[in-house]
Amino acid sequence: MADRSKAEVVLRLFGVNLEQQGRGFYVPLEMLALARGIYLAHQEDPEKFAGLLDNGASTAYKRTSHDLARRIATKTRIVEGDEELGKAVELDSPETMETLHALFSSLLVEIPGRRSQPSWFGAHIYPFVGELIHYDAVERRIKQLDAFSKSPKKRKQAEKVSAGTNAPSVERYLFRDGGGWAYKVLRSDPDPDRKEATRQGLADLVQDSGTPLGNLAKALSAHDFDYDEVPVEGSDAGIDLYEHHSPWPDLLRDGTRNIVTRTATVPRAKRTESLMHWVPYCLARHQLHLARRKLGATDGESILLDFGNDSTPLRRESQKNLTSFRNDIVNAINIQAREMINEVEGEGDEARKRRYERFTKEAGNAVDSPRAFFSGTLAAVGALNATGGRRHFTMKPPMLEGLVSATVPQGTEMEFDQFCALLYEKYRLVVENKVAAASPLAYEVDPSFLDHNGKAFREKLAAIGLLTQYSDATSMVRGEPR
């Protein structure tokens, strides 16, 4: 378990360490890496290692770094040299490497707002099939003493490269426990039927696909520089779900079940994409709900989604929504820090007090990072219009597909107005005029703008194949395209 001393306040308030570095898609990438690793460990020794979503404070998982494929994707120098590389890739023709680069570079997860090409360890492969799922990694210097290590793996690595060389090391770098929170939410599901359905659907995503792409990925991973000789032990005991204070853990369970169980009607890649958007969205909303609760809010936060093309009073209100929520997160952290300072008063622990005091200020990295997790995550998954500038709440097509798939159970459909009402009832999302009447936002935006917004939302659903308009003026929303 990583040292959390610098994030005690954030951990106490939100139950999990939420930092800008682990925002957005890193949450589901980490969750799927844990799920894949646990699946592999269980397959290796079913009696010793827990299975997927099995209960228990401690779980073991096997980490795949995919460092070779990621270095090929980013055209990073292979420090092992051509002789070692030739064991994995046929080097008779340069076209082979170029083809592999073109393939794996096209599979890298796009991180919105990124201004430059990342190092190979900052580039992650989209987990379209189980064999592509991988853990985090970074570069570490090979030491002279590694050649004499008791670990056969370290001795083998020291033989491949000279001492002082930076080489891949599989370890947590960009992952920051958001995926651990999501996995714990699913693992601790109190509904046995829902949990079993989720387990089966998740297993279909993380197990070997046996496809040509999967076989290629598996073949390359066998030549990774770093790997786990045996599964590593992990624990999520430091993560508190706060599920009695927030509806979002249970909403995550419901939505994930609806997404992953569409095995007969939705391709694996589309299910994975929906999960990649739904999981971080739930964690960001969970963060906001807990922050507002700390500030004394007793009701769910209403969010105004803008689907129009023009700047209107509705959009300006949505922008105000976002600014207010970002301030709520900072104010909640300030309050939590002051409470924790009061707890240690008289104990004489000045070091702890100084750590907490960093979080009582309204500016600075201590509060900026968790606040940026919220807005950065929503922007990454398409729940905001942009990563910077004047931002408002909306739903871009991939996020909207994930939301609908999570909300409408498999094999069912519902009338458009009913669907909009359900979005407000479950998630407090305000889209059109009829729903807004039940929200405090009804007094902030003229009904005509909300009516126009509802029509734009209907058109957006139809454009992505999730809504059918019938001749009798009925519009039906379903969880997957026909």
Side-chain angles (χ1 to χ4, degrees):
M1 183 65 65
D3 178 18
R4 302 177 184 274
S5 62
K6 294 182 180 178
E8 289 172 296
V9 176
V10 174
L11 187 62
R12 176 84 76 87
L13 178 58
F14 302 120
V16 59
N17 189 13
L18 301 178
E19 297 181 30
Q20 180 180 12
Q21 193 173 11
R23 69 193 183 282
F25 292 124
Y26 296 122
V27 175
L29 286 171
E30 181 182 14
M31 186 196 81
L32 289 171
L34 291 173
R36 167 76 174 175
I38 289 167
Y39 173 83
L40 291 176
H42 182 70
Q43 290 290 106
E44 187 175 288
D45 192 338
E47 294 185 3
K48 184 177 180 181
F49 301 119
L52 196 60
L53 299 188
D54 284 351
N55 287 326
S58 180
T59 54
Y61 52 97
K62 202 160 189 178
R63 301 171 301 179
T64 301
S65 69
H66 263 319
D67 62 65
L68 180 56
R70 289 198 273 170
R71 286 182 288 166
I72 291 173
T74 54
K75 288 193 172 181
T76 301
R77 183 173 72 94
I78 309 299
V79 295
E80 301 93 307
D82 287 348
E83 184 177 346
E84 284 294 328
L85 181 59
K87 297 176 182 178
V89 179
E90 179 59 61
L91 297 176
D92 288 347
S93 169
E95 292 181 0
T96 302
M97 284 295 288
E98 285 300 321
T99 300
L100 289 174
H101 163 71
L103 172 62
F104 284 104
S105 63
S106 71
L107 296 174
L108 296 180
V109 177
E110 292 186 15
I111 305 299
R114 184 177 271 170
R115 293 184 175 86
S116 60
Q117 174 70 25
S119 303
W120 70 264
F121 48 83
H124 291 68
I125 299 172
Y126 214 99
F128 286 121
V129 294
E131 295 94 333
L132 287 173
I133 297 173
H134 61 87
Y135 198 73
D136 219 351
V138 72
E139 286 186 342
R140 297 297 180 198
R141 194 175 299 278
I142 299 296
K143 303 174 183 177
Q144 287 184 337
L145 292 177
D146 289 345
F148 308 99
S149 173
K150 294 181 179 179
S151 166
K153 183 183 78 170
K154 283 193 174 295
R155 293 198 304 270
K156 183 178 178 181
Q157 290 174 334
E159 292 173 359
K160 292 181 179 181
V161 299
S162 57
T165 302
N166 287 333
S169 172
V170 55
E171 58 186 84
R172 194 170 74 166
Y173 174 62
L174 288 168
F175 293 170
R176 283 292 183 271
D177 270 357
W181 174 86
Y183 185 81
K184 184 173 183 178
V185 167
L186 300 180
R187 180 184 62 76
S188 58
D189 192 345
D191 184 333
D193 293 335
R194 180 174 60 186
K195 182 177 177 178
E196 182 56 32
T198 302
R199 185 204 315 273
Q200 293 180 17
L202 194 58
D204 186 69
L205 295 181
V206 303
Q207 67 186 358
D208 286 355
S209 66
T211 60
L213 175 60
N215 292 337
L216 173 61
K218 197 169 184 178
L220 286 178
S221 69
H223 297 276
D224 284 339
F225 184 86
D226 199 21
Y227 51 91
D228 283 335
E229 297 174 284
V230 296
V232 298
E233 290 289 336
S235 174
D236 55 20
I239 296 174
D240 197 324
L241 302 182
Y242 291 146
E243 54 188 321
H244 299 301
H245 303 324
S246 167
W248 283 96
D250 215 51
L251 291 173
L252 172 63
R253 292 170 183 142
D254 257 348
T256 300
R257 184 266 315 275
N258 287 342
I259 289 171
V260 300
T261 53
R262 300 180 191 274
T263 54
T265 55
V266 178
R268 183 197 305 257
K270 181 59 70 175
R271 280 176 276 139
T272 299
E273 185 178 33
S274 293
L275 203 62
M276 287 281 287
H277 289 77
W278 173 246
V279 172
Y281 180 80
C282 288
L283 180 52
R285 290 293 306 274
H286 177 67
Q287 178 191 19
L288 175 61
H289 189 91
L290 292 176
R292 285 172 48 78
R293 185 179 184 275
K294 173 61 70 174
L295 297 176
T298 57
D299 57 345
E301 57 282 352
S302 294
I303 290 181
L304 188 58
L305 298 182
D306 175 22
F307 288 97
N309 296 320
D310 303 315
S311 179
T312 64
L314 183 150
R315 177 166 297 180
R316 291 192 286 274
E317 190 63 31
S318 185
Q319 291 167 344
K320 286 170 57 179
N321 264 177
L322 177 60
T323 300
S324 175
F325 292 155
R326 281 166 51 85
N327 290 336
D328 287 343
I329 289 172
V330 171
N331 293 334
I333 293 172
N334 296 159
I335 291 173
Q336 182 67 57
R338 288 192 286 270
E339 290 178 356
M340 293 172 71
I341 289 173
N342 291 336
E343 290 175 5
V344 299
E345 284 288 352
E347 294 182 7
D349 193 339
E350 294 300 319
R352 287 178 67 190
K353 286 183 63 176
R354 284 194 297 272
R355 288 203 302 269
Y356 299 160
E357 285 169 355
R358 296 169 56 239
F359 293 91
T360 62
K361 302 172 183 177
E362 294 184 0
N365 187 62
V367 294
D368 285 348
S369 187
R371 176 177 59 186
F373 174 88
F374 171 72
S375 51
T377 293
L378 293 183
V381 300
L384 297 181
N385 64 306
T387 57
R390 295 288 288 172
R391 294 178 292 180
H392 59 267
F393 291 104
T394 188
M395 289 276 175
K396 295 181 180 179
M399 181 66 232
L400 188 53
E401 289 178 355
L403 176 73
V404 176
S405 182
T407 306
V408 181
Q410 182 178 7
T412 66
E413 58 182 6
M414 61 183 66
E415 204 275 325
F416 176 75
D417 288 341
Q418 180 190 358
F419 177 67
C420 290
L422 188 60
L423 290 183
Y424 181 72
E425 178 187 330
K426 295 186 75 169
Y427 317 128
R428 287 297 186 265
L429 296 176
V430 178
V431 178
E432 47 90 53
N433 190 37
K434 295 177 183 177
V435 170
S439 166
L441 295 172
Y443 305 101
E444 306 294 338
V445 181
D446 188 276
S448 63
F449 292 110
L450 285 161
D451 186 57
H452 180 77
N453 194 60
K455 293 177 181 177
F457 180 51
R458 187 195 307 261
E459 292 171 0
K460 185 82 72 175
L461 287 172
I464 59 178
L466 297 178
L467 178 142
T468 301
Q469 299 184 16
Y470 295 97
S471 57
D472 62 353
T474 302
S475 298
M476 301 301 293
V477 179
R478 56 186 174 276
E480 63 270 337
R482 280 183 181 161

